[in-house]
Amino acid sequence: AYTPMANANRLILEPAVREVLPRAGGKPVIVGLCPTDPTRAGAGMLEKVKAAGIHGVNNFPSMGFYGGGLGRFLERAGYGYGREAAFMAEAAAAGLFTLPFVYTEDHARAMAEAGVDALCANLNLPVGADAPGFGRTSVADASFAIDRMFAAAARVNPGIIRLFYCAGPVSDPEDIDAVLQ
């Protein structure tokens, strides 16, 4: 979805409506939409999503992957994580189920303040990824980070559904057990 070959949201929505929804058997479908797409029509896009029968959205691809100078630049230009939180607030207000990825305590708090239904702590790519922003971390550090993200969100909304994405150092059932403990 990061490939600049076409509009990322159109690339997701068209097959979701054409291929996924007809095969879902009435089960809820959540799609990842790019909240920082400069061509998106705001609430108009969310109305189309809802009218198509899609149950909810998340923020993918996400600017949460970008930190440092690039992340600060994108935020100042209006294309950072703050725009994702605003998008999720719009989606929640439109009655869609909202399940954003969060990467930091600030992201978790912002999404809870946006009124999302759930959040998914994302620990980035598997250990060894060489892309910027994807550092190595231990399972213990990952557990600590998840706890901090969930605590930040729970201070705003104690009932928020909390999930985590099994990536980063979490690579086998024992690691998942350690994080859950």
Side-chain angles (χ1 to χ4, degrees):
Y2 286 108
T3 308
M5 58 188 238
N7 179 289
N9 289 330
R10 206 169 307 122
L11 280 173
I12 296 301
L13 288 174
E14 288 173 4
V17 171
R18 185 181 63 247
E19 304 291 333
V20 177
L21 283 173
R23 291 173 174 82
K27 294 180 180 75
V29 172
I30 298 172
V31 297
L33 296 179
C34 181
T36 55
D37 172 4
T39 66
R40 78 174 181 87
M45 181 179 63
L46 292 171
E47 289 169 9
K48 288 179 188 175
V49 164
K50 196 170 178 181
I54 294 170
H55 184 72
V57 297
N58 83 341
N59 56 329
F60 188 83
S62 173
M63 291 297 127
F65 286 118
Y66 300 103
L70 178 58
R72 287 188 297 276
F73 171 79
L74 291 168
E75 198 67 49
R76 283 192 309 271
Y79 292 100
Y81 200 81
R83 186 165 173 160
E84 294 183 33
F87 174 79
M88 284 293 147
E90 291 173 29
L96 290 162
F97 184 81
T98 48
L99 175 63
F101 286 116
V102 297
Y103 306 87
T104 68
E105 291 174 62
D106 289 341
H107 293 165
R109 184 175 22 266
M111 289 298 183
E113 289 169 353
V116 301
D117 297 292
L119 51 85
C120 185
N122 189 325
L123 301 176
N124 295 320
L125 294 176
V127 171
D130 292 326
F134 298 109
R136 295 175 187 260
T137 187
S138 69
V139 172
D141 288 343
S143 297
F144 181 73
I146 290 169
D147 283 345
R148 303 253 331 213
M149 285 185 254
F150 289 167
R155 283 191 289 279
V156 176
N157 175 2
I160 198 166
I161 299 167
R162 292 164 262 183
L163 308 165
F164 72 92
Y165 181 71
C166 293
V170 182
S171 60
D172 59 41
E174 290 77 21
D175 294 341
I176 293 171
D177 185 58
V179 171
L180 291 173
Q181 295 303 321

